[in-house]
Amino acid sequence: MCVCVCVCVCEIGLMCVEQGHLLLLLLAASGWRSVSGIRVFTAGEVKAVNGTDVRLKCTFQSSAAVRESSVTVSWSFRPLGPGHVETVFYYREKQFPPSEGRFRKKVDWAGDISGRDASVVLRRVPFSFNGTFSCEVKNPPDVHGNVGEVRLQVVSTASLSEILILCVSIGGAILLILLLVMIVASLRRCHRRRNPEPNHSVLQHEHDLSC
């Protein structure tokens, strides 16, 4: 009796598995496929000195074909303190900057839809820009996915590490220029040694003899 029950259970299990496989095959044949949402990538945290320009980087990946006419980009801002979410920027085939509010004449498009880039540049950032900037990208039918966030910190002066990096960069550039100047001067000296100019007095003496 127990053996019969086990056999029946096994047969039922095999039938369920076969039916599951058949269902998957039917769905595949009918063109059904899983929808993978659009993926948005941002820098996470960005620091900027008060009064300077800063680029808020935002890139994306989409399972659907990317066309300039179909992709929309929406940037919004949530301040650190109390306050409501504000529209920062909107893009669809062309840029639509805000006509009023704190971001009026303060934001420019810096992206490239064909390159999956939805970045913007904030101009002359004040301390009131401290907060979280959100980048939302849609590419129908791929409209579901994460919203990228950039937490901007506006500071009065650059940090010691940033100043050190800047000094090293400037120093490296100066050393490179000096090295190039030394190489050019050395090549010129070698060229002059191999091809000495004729002595002017010798030429004058030869001319007097010929006369």
Side-chain angles (χ1 to χ4, degrees):
M1 182 68 179
C2 294
V3 174
C4 294
V5 172
C6 292
V7 171
C8 292
V9 170
C10 292
E11 289 180 352
I12 293 173
L14 290 173
M15 291 176 61
C16 292
V17 171
E18 291 177 355
Q19 290 178 356
H21 288 168
L22 180 61
L23 179 60
L24 290 175
L25 290 174
L26 291 174
L27 289 173
S30 63
W32 176 88
R33 61 189 180 96
S34 61
V35 178
S36 56
I38 195 165
R39 300 178 63 188
V40 180
F41 308 91
T42 56
E45 294 185 1
V46 175
K47 286 185 179 181
V49 177
N50 179 41
T52 63
D53 299 344
V54 61
R55 185 173 188 264
L56 303 183
K57 187 176 181 180
C58 176
T59 58
F60 64 93
Q61 291 180 353
S62 176
S63 59
V66 176
R67 294 186 298 273
E68 183 80 19
S69 59
S70 62
V71 176
T72 61
V73 179
S74 302
W75 279 91
S76 59
F77 171 73
R78 186 174 67 254
L80 285 178
H84 61 280
V85 176
E86 301 177 37
T87 299
V88 176
F89 192 86
Y90 181 79
Y91 183 93
R92 182 170 184 178
E93 295 190 74
K94 64 178 182 178
Q95 54 181 319
F96 295 90
S99 58
E100 58 183 7
R102 77 176 79 192
F103 296 104
R104 181 175 179 269
K105 296 183 178 181
K106 286 284 190 177
V107 56
D108 290 323
W109 174 249
D112 177 17
I113 296 300
S114 61
R116 278 69 170 172
D117 190 348
S119 306
V120 295
V121 172
L122 299 179
R123 304 295 183 186
R124 303 176 302 280
V125 293
F127 291 110
S128 61
F129 282 14
N130 275 303
T132 302
F133 291 82
S134 299
C135 174
E136 183 177 8
V137 182
K138 293 184 178 180
N139 181 35
D142 197 357
V143 296
H144 301 288
N146 67 303
V147 177
E149 291 188 347
V150 180
R151 290 176 293 278
L152 178 63
Q153 182 180 0
V154 182
V155 296
S156 56
T157 57
S159 64
L160 182 60
S161 60
E162 293 171 340
I163 294 175
L164 181 60
I165 293 174
L166 180 61
C167 291
V168 170
S169 301
I170 295 175
I174 293 174
L175 288 176
L176 180 61
I177 293 173
L178 291 176
L179 181 61
L180 291 174
V181 171
M182 292 173 63
I183 292 174
V184 172
S186 178
L187 291 175
R188 286 184 176 179
R189 284 197 299 269
C190 292
H191 179 73
R192 289 175 182 174
R193 289 175 182 175
R194 292 179 181 178
N195 303 285
E197 296 181 359
N199 193 299
H200 180 72
S201 60
V202 174
L203 291 177
Q204 183 66 34
H205 179 67
E206 293 178 352
H207 177 72
D208 293 340
L209 291 175
S210 63
C211 294

